Amino acid sequence: MAKIWRLHPHDSRRVGDLERAAKVPGVVAQLLLCRGIDQPAMVLPFLEPKLTELFEPDTLPGVVAACETIMAAIAAKEPIVVYGDYDADGMTSTAILHECLRLIGATVSYYVPHRIDEGYGLHDDALQQLAERGAKLVVTVDCGIACADQVDLAHQLGMKIVITDHHEFGSRLPAAEAVVHPRLPGTAYPFGGLCGAGVAFKLAWALCQRASNAKRVTEKLREYLLSAVGLAAIGTVADMVPMTGENRIIVRYGLQALRERPPLGLKRLMTLTKLDAKPELECEDIGFTLAPRLNAAGRLGQAQLGVELLTTQNSERAAALADYLHELNSSRDSLERSIQISAKKLLADFDPANDAALVLAHPGWHAGIIGIVAGRLAEKYHRPVVMIAQDELGVKPGIGSVRSVPGFDVHAALAECSEYLLGFGGHQAAAGLKIEAAQVDSFREAFCEYAEKNIQPEQRTAELWIDAETTLGCLNLATVQQIERLAPFGYGNARPLLTASNIELAEPPKKIGNDRHLSLRLKQYGATMRGVAFGGGEWYDELVKHKGPLKIAFRPIINHFQGRRNVEVQITDWQPDVPAVVPLPVG
């Protein structure tokens, strides 16, 4: 669907003032202003965040009580279970805390629920099993804040419980021994955007201080924490939390840690994916390479293997796990393409251009994969999308994944339609649900009606906010290196989006990546440059037929290949470059 392009205003006076006061190049000043960094004192902390600028771990709400509970359990030699989640954030959270507890002398194991058989969060049956195995303390990571009833059950089963989470709250807070959450009601932690792995890292840091009896931890625990910040970076990027505040610090230093001290399994995975050949790692390397392989394990019901990959000390086992997850990602990719084709056929019965939301259901879809496809459809049509994987035998409830668009709270929408659901959970941008097949039509009607009332017509067209207009000739290596100073990039600090006009195709476009992407050779005013359109394979026919110049929206990158560095552009959107029609004066 066509997008509306909006160009951030360019105030040359403000750009010049910031350029001089902060001593940064003009292109950096312009991009900083687009991100709300408009005071000289804000520039250096944004461009060069320091690890020492992380807030002390004890200031995170609930950490002090959590440490007291955990250290008491260790002293009493009580078995501890880290209860995680099956996505990349949950796996890294589990690995961070499990390794911390192991190093400080705890008797510790971990439990990760099965994505399809159990679903997200604490479960009665799982708690019953853990109690029967002798667990005395359960510490959740990346889950549990909305599981008040399950916490009560844990107490009835004779277990203490510590909740660490970052998700939305339920109708009542769990009555746990401690609740660690950056936005805990009644508290005022300075940064509420931590992911589950960020919260786990802060708790692990505090536990290391207590085990060291000092703010400055022992050398062994210091090495562990420097490695753990790499896992926290994976969780932060994968969970798409804002790339601001503490998250920028975690990711900046976490990328460095992943290169210098990765766990054995990740080291092997980076070799398989050729990331070990890169001079520096970027957020995209996590988002498009490492996190998908971890998530593939969770989506296909084998999240425990992802945690083992991150924690094993056995090099042979690490290599075997990395090889398996690498292959598993290929299986996930094939399933994803199959579901995309099926969903495209179902869309023929709907009107994506006018419907306020899309609710698709089909027997046989893999419940672990539909979330990816829902996200792609939500991005393409700029509509909230619900995809429901129904049981082929009609015996089990359907499992749904929901993805939103900016400005629409899907968690609130599901709450409004909860009478048709067996259960749901998540946050504003993404959620999951369970539903009986007989309720799908009624739910679709209610969900679409809620979206119709809460998404204004003008919000139904996607907007591209473009930072600046430029020419290909201006994008030399030095300029793009200055742009890279704004990294790490991610949600809330996207890689700068630029536009250029009067672009010609120097040669016909080429399909790459199983025809899903395009490789383009672009020409403008004598300058040529390679462009890649990820997910742009569907543009092929239209671009081949198009005659005349183009306008492109793109993100400049530096491509490292065989020791050489070249500037390329990643094309986000394009339009025919139609000259403006200026009316002749009358008379």
Side-chain angles (χ1 to χ4, degrees):
M1 295 178 69
K3 298 179 175 67
I4 297 174
W5 293 17
R6 301 197 186 280
L7 189 65
H8 278 283
H10 181 93
D11 187 329
S12 57
R13 179 187 59 79
R14 293 181 69 205
V15 171
D17 288 346
L18 190 63
E19 178 183 358
R20 288 185 293 272
K23 296 182 174 56
V24 295
V27 63
V28 174
Q30 163 69 4
L31 296 173
L32 287 169
L33 287 170
C34 291
R35 284 152 180 75
I37 311 296
D38 56 2
Q39 299 299 318
M42 301 167 65
V43 172
L44 196 60
F46 185 85
L47 294 180
E48 300 180 17
K50 307 296 184 188
L51 200 56
T52 53
E53 292 170 357
L54 288 174
F55 301 116
E56 283 292 323
D58 280 2
T59 61
L60 184 64
V63 158
V64 173
C67 285
E68 291 174 354
T69 302
I70 293 169
M71 295 304 289
I74 294 173
K77 301 187 183 304
E78 294 177 341
I80 302 174
V81 176
V82 179
Y83 192 114
D85 186 30
Y86 42 69
D87 66 0
D89 188 20
M91 291 181 212
T92 51
S93 303
T94 304
I96 287 169
L97 199 55
H98 178 272
E99 283 304 282
C100 171
L101 294 174
R102 183 183 68 83
L103 287 170
I104 64 177
T107 301
V108 61
S109 60
Y110 57 82
Y111 182 89
V112 183
H114 191 282
R115 183 185 190 111
I116 299 168
D117 294 343
E118 296 176 275
Y120 174 74
L122 289 168
H123 299 279
D124 293 355
D125 290 345
L127 290 171
Q128 183 74 49
Q129 291 175 26
L130 295 177
E132 291 172 357
R133 294 174 192 171
K136 295 300 180 185
L137 172 62
V138 174
V139 184
T140 75
V141 287
D142 195 34
C143 67
I145 196 64
C147 298
D149 291 343
Q150 285 70 33
V151 170
D152 293 342
L153 174 62
H155 288 152
Q156 294 169 21
L157 294 170
M159 296 185 294
K160 296 184 288 294
I161 193 158
V162 169
I163 300 292
T164 81
D165 202 353
H166 72 115
H167 289 99
E168 298 299 318
F169 302 98
S171 57
R172 66 182 176 101
L173 282 176
E177 275 65 22
V179 176
V180 183
H181 194 294
R183 301 186 306 280
L184 195 66
T187 65
Y189 186 66
F191 183 71
L194 292 172
C195 69
V199 173
F201 175 76
K202 282 299 193 72
L203 175 57
W205 181 8
L207 287 167
C208 288
Q209 289 181 334
R210 279 159 179 77
S212 305
N213 293 313
K215 292 283 187 183
R216 187 180 181 87
V217 304
T218 65
E219 186 60 28
K220 181 177 75 171
L221 294 179
R222 179 180 179 275
E223 280 299 307
Y224 152 73
L225 287 171
L226 289 174
S227 176
V229 76
L231 297 184
I234 293 176
T236 300
V237 174
D239 221 46
M240 297 185 67
V241 289
M243 198 58 67
T244 56
E246 287 192 293
N247 289 338
R248 281 182 63 78
I249 302 172
I250 288 171
V251 173
R252 183 184 179 102
Y253 289 92
L255 289 169
Q256 183 178 331
L258 288 172
R259 278 201 58 81
E260 296 175 355
R261 39 174 68 84
L264 290 174
L266 274 182
K267 185 176 182 179
R268 169 65 177 175
L269 202 55
M270 287 192 286
T271 299
L272 290 171
T273 55
K274 298 181 172 55
L275 291 183
D276 62 331
K278 295 190 65 173
E280 294 181 356
L281 291 178
E282 302 171 305
C283 285
E284 289 90 343
D285 296 320
I286 292 176
F288 297 113
T289 303
L290 295 179
R293 282 158 176 78
L294 291 175
N295 279 328
R299 292 182 183 283
L300 298 177
Q302 301 188 60
Q304 73 281 357
L305 296 183
V307 178
E308 188 181 355
L309 174 92
L310 302 175
T311 57
T312 183
Q313 306 297 310
N314 183 301
S315 57
E316 291 184 3
R317 180 62 175 164
L321 286 167
D323 292 351
Y324 181 65
L325 262 63
H326 189 54
E327 294 173 6
L328 206 61
N329 188 57
S330 298
S331 300
R332 186 272 312 160
D333 191 53
S334 297
L335 285 168
E336 179 188 334
R337 276 183 280 159
S338 174
I339 294 173
Q340 280 183 313
I341 292 170
S342 175
K344 186 176 181 179
K345 293 178 180 177
L346 289 180
L347 283 171
D349 295 329
F350 298 92
D351 185 4
N354 296 303
D355 292 343
L358 298 172
V359 179
L360 308 177
H362 192 273
W365 281 349
H366 196 292
I369 309 297
I370 53 175
I372 305 175
V373 181
R376 297 195 190 285
L377 292 177
E379 182 179 0
K380 178 177 181 178
Y381 294 109
H382 201 65
R383 300 284 187 276
V385 173
V386 182
M387 293 190 65
I388 302 169
Q390 296 176 303
D391 181 31
E392 290 185 278
L393 299 177
V395 177
K396 297 179 181 179
I399 297 175
S401 284
V402 193
R403 296 296 182 268
S404 189
V405 292
F408 184 75
D409 186 338
V410 293
H411 189 270
L414 293 181
E416 189 71 19
C417 306
S418 60
E419 64 182 291
Y420 305 108
L421 304 175
L422 293 174
F424 69 95
H427 47 80
Q428 291 185 358
L433 60 85
K434 284 189 177 182
I435 185 171
E436 296 286 1
Q439 296 289 350
V440 169
D441 289 339
S442 298
F443 167 73
R444 178 185 290 113
E445 183 178 349
F447 187 87
C448 291
E449 183 179 341
Y450 181 89
E452 184 74 40
K453 292 178 180 177
N454 288 275
I455 303 178
Q456 300 304 314
E458 60 271 18
Q459 293 178 295
R460 297 178 189 176
T461 302
E463 295 181 334
L464 282 183
W465 277 96
I466 296 171
D467 291 287
E469 187 168 4
T470 188
T471 61
L472 298 184
C474 288
L475 295 174
N476 55 42
L477 194 60
T479 300
V480 180
Q481 284 176 325
Q482 290 293 343
I483 292 174
E484 291 285 336
R485 292 183 64 190
L486 277 73
F489 299 118
Y491 178 70
N493 179 43
R495 185 177 286 276
L497 185 64
L498 308 178
T499 185
S501 304
N502 199 31
I503 300 291
E504 299 176 22
L505 295 181
E507 58 187 43
K510 298 176 182 177
K511 291 183 179 182
I512 58 175
N514 294 316
D515 295 344
R516 288 182 294 172
H517 317 303
L518 290 181
S519 175
L520 303 153
R521 196 71 188 166
L522 309 172
K523 183 170 67 173
Q524 182 199 44
Y525 308 130
T528 59
M529 185 174 293
R530 181 175 184 260
V532 178
F534 290 109
E538 60 188 25
W539 296 338
Y540 178 81
D541 291 338
E542 194 173 356
L543 281 170
V544 168
K545 294 176 184 177
H546 180 75
K547 306 298 181 184
L550 311 171
K551 292 170 65 175
I552 60 172
F554 63 92
R555 305 186 192 278
I557 63 163
I558 299 174
N559 183 28
H560 300 267
F561 182 70
Q562 295 183 344
R564 297 192 302 271
R565 296 185 299 167
N566 299 300
V567 174
E568 295 184 354
V569 298
Q570 294 180 347
I571 300 171
T572 301
D573 198 15
W574 68 277
Q575 298 176 352
D577 191 1
V578 181
V581 177
V582 180
L584 294 172
V586 178

